[in-house]
Amino acid sequence: MLRSALLARPRVPPLLPSVQKSPFTILAIESSADDTCAAVVDSSKRILSNVVLKQLHLHEKYGGIEPITAIQAHQRNMPLAVSRALKEANVDIVRDVNGIAFTRGPGMPSCLSVGMNAAQTLGAALGKPVIGVHHMQGHALTPLLTSDEANMPQFPFLTLLVSGGHTLILLAESNDKFKILADTADQAIGRVIDKVTALLAIPWTSLGPGDALEKFCQDVPDSEKLVLGQPVMRGRKDFSFSGLHSQVERYIHAKNGIEQLSEDERRVLAYSFQDSAFSQLEEKIQLAFSWCQSQSINVRHLVVSGGVASNQRLRQRLDHCLSRMDPDNPIQAVFPPPNLCTDNAVMIAWASMHRFLAGESDSYDLNLRAKWSIEDLASKVDVSDTS
């Protein structure tokens, strides 16, 4: 009987008028990759705390995330992240926190499990409702929290999600309904950026390999860029970045190794790679908007999120791309603040908010979903995935 009570779906009644006077406050946890994150956000759109504990110094020697190292760091950092988030928000978890959200997937299974276990244990011990959130949904909905009224994206809008694990173009029709218009045929853009940064022997900055590559080539004039082979997947909506990675490898091999390239040559190669990758993003965005027009779907906003969205060169290029597509009535690009583009728990809190306010919650024995299509959110059909 005790087990049944612990694993039962917690009841969250709809907010009563007397309760509505106080904002609904959420403690959120995110651990899908290599950042241990905790945050406190309330329904009045206040970000009360946002703690991100990074592991970059542990993974640089591997050229990317090393799974065992990542899970061990999450296990060390999670108690600290949650404690700091509560302290910085000046809230008492028993008295002030109304619900607990966590990233259920997609992501690295071992890393996801640390955040999920922390959230479910806290929820069961304290009698708080819990909700498991789709990681990409968090990225897609962040601008609904951070934008002012003049720049607030309106449904339906397009979302470009660009990160180390994903490169997607989505049609967002509501908080829970998304249609995938473009996906990656091979590797995500962020993963390939990490690999090319390693190939070019670019030291990581405190913000990681993507930031390092951006800064390394930021002063290269466009007139010096190289043509790295033929355009990839032209005319098709899906992305492919592995070929671009191979082109950089072949160029370095033809020069007899990275040691034979001067720093200026490395900078030009980095710039040329970044330019080619961003050109592909622009082309697929144009195809996605054309598809929406063919379906009589009026889309006036493009939300750009994920870690790569913090790249300032990409932001400039997408602004210019959208203004060229419809000069008389420009489509608006909407970007979260750079610190909320990379993984964070603020986005997880906000993506769960509409469900909490509707009186929804998940059971304490909910399984993680390491592989999870965002289109599944609309069906409300849950299939556990412990892989």
Side-chain angles (χ1 to χ4, degrees):
M1 180 175 291
L2 177 60
R3 175 176 172 80
S4 298
L6 284 174
L7 298 185
R9 183 183 299 273
R11 296 183 63 228
V12 186
L15 295 181
L16 300 174
S18 59
V19 178
Q20 289 177 337
K21 295 178 181 178
S22 299
F24 192 96
T25 301
I26 297 171
L27 167 67
I29 293 170
E30 148 65 24
S31 64
S32 62
D34 61 332
D35 293 337
T36 310
C37 311
V40 179
V41 178
D42 71 23
S43 56
S44 62
K45 294 190 172 184
R46 293 188 303 166
I47 300 173
L48 302 177
S49 64
N50 178 28
V51 175
V52 179
L53 302 183
K54 293 186 173 294
Q55 308 174 10
L56 293 171
H57 64 290
L58 301 175
H59 299 282
E60 183 173 5
K61 64 182 177 182
Y62 301 107
I65 303 173
E66 200 286 312
I68 298 300
T69 301
I71 187 173
Q72 290 174 342
H74 280 309
Q75 290 169 337
R76 291 192 304 271
N77 290 336
M78 187 58 70
L80 176 61
V82 171
S83 176
R84 279 184 50 186
L86 294 169
K87 183 176 181 180
E88 292 177 13
N90 193 28
V91 297
D92 180 275
I93 190 170
V94 176
R95 183 185 65 247
D96 303 319
V97 171
N98 304 110
I100 300 172
F102 66 94
T103 303
R104 186 185 178 193
M108 301 175 69
S110 57
C111 296
L112 287 168
S113 67
V114 177
M116 180 187 69
N117 291 340
Q120 290 178 331
T121 300
L122 285 170
L126 301 174
K128 305 287 185 181
V130 297
I131 282 180
V133 174
H134 193 292
H135 183 83
M136 293 295 102
Q137 182 188 24
H139 279 303
L141 299 182
T142 297
L144 300 181
L145 168 66
T146 59
S147 301
D148 58 30
E149 289 300 319
N151 299 303
M152 185 72 65
Q154 303 295 317
F155 293 113
F157 58 81
L158 286 187
T159 296
L160 173 66
L161 298 175
V162 276
S163 68
H166 303 271
T167 309
L168 297 168
I169 298 178
L170 306 172
L171 175 65
E173 300 179 68
S174 71
N175 286 322
D176 298 306
K177 188 177 181 182
F178 299 87
K179 180 178 178 60
I180 299 174
L181 302 186
D183 201 347
T184 44
D186 38 61
Q187 299 183 81
I189 185 173
R191 178 61 177 147
V192 176
I193 287 174
D194 292 353
K195 290 183 175 182
V196 170
T197 301
L199 280 174
L200 296 176
I202 302 171
W204 290 14
T205 69
S206 61
L207 297 178
D211 181 70
L213 186 138
E214 177 187 1
K215 289 182 168 60
F216 185 70
C217 65
Q218 64 185 357
D219 296 325
V220 175
D222 192 66
S223 59
E224 294 185 12
K225 73 180 177 184
L226 306 168
V227 177
L228 296 175
Q230 296 298 314
V232 178
M233 308 268 286
R234 183 169 294 278
R236 292 175 54 184
K237 286 191 290 186
D238 286 339
F239 299 97
S240 175
F241 295 101
S242 287
L244 187 54
H245 172 232
S246 298
Q247 291 166 19
V248 174
E249 282 188 311
R250 287 195 295 269
Y251 183 93
I252 294 172
H253 180 74
K255 296 292 184 178
N256 298 315
I258 192 67
E259 298 82 5
Q260 304 305 314
L261 272 63
S262 68
E263 183 167 303
D264 284 345
E265 289 176 307
R266 289 165 55 224
R267 292 184 191 278
V268 169
L269 185 54
Y271 179 87
S272 304
F273 158 75
Q274 180 178 259
D275 179 80
S276 295
F278 291 171
S279 292
Q280 189 181 157
L281 295 180
E282 290 180 349
E283 187 210 356
K284 308 309 180 185
I285 287 169
Q286 292 173 15
L287 289 173
F289 273 105
S290 295
W291 180 86
C292 289
Q293 291 176 341
S294 72
Q295 302 298 310
S296 300
I297 301 172
N298 183 28
V299 173
R300 305 312 308 168
H301 294 89
L302 173 69
V303 168
V304 189
S305 55
V308 182
S310 60
N311 186 296
Q312 296 303 306
R313 174 64 175 163
L314 176 60
R315 292 181 175 222
Q316 294 169 5
R317 289 191 54 157
L318 292 179
D319 278 332
H320 291 318
C321 174
L322 295 178
S323 65
R324 293 194 306 269
M325 286 171 53
D326 191 350
D328 296 328
N329 187 20
I331 297 162
Q332 185 177 354
V334 183
F335 302 92
N339 70 313
L340 296 181
C341 286
T342 53
D343 289 351
N344 63 87
V346 169
M347 69 181 191
I348 302 304
W350 191 250
S352 70
M353 186 66 74
H354 68 284
R355 291 187 59 197
F356 275 122
L357 295 181
E360 296 182 33
S361 64
D362 293 324
S363 61
Y364 292 137
D365 62 341
L366 194 71
N367 287 323
L368 61 83
R369 296 194 64 178
K371 297 178 181 179
W372 188 9
S373 173
I374 196 168
E375 291 184 342
D376 292 346
L377 293 174
S379 68
K380 302 295 184 182
V381 175
D382 187 81
V383 179
S384 294
D385 171 20
T386 57
S387 61

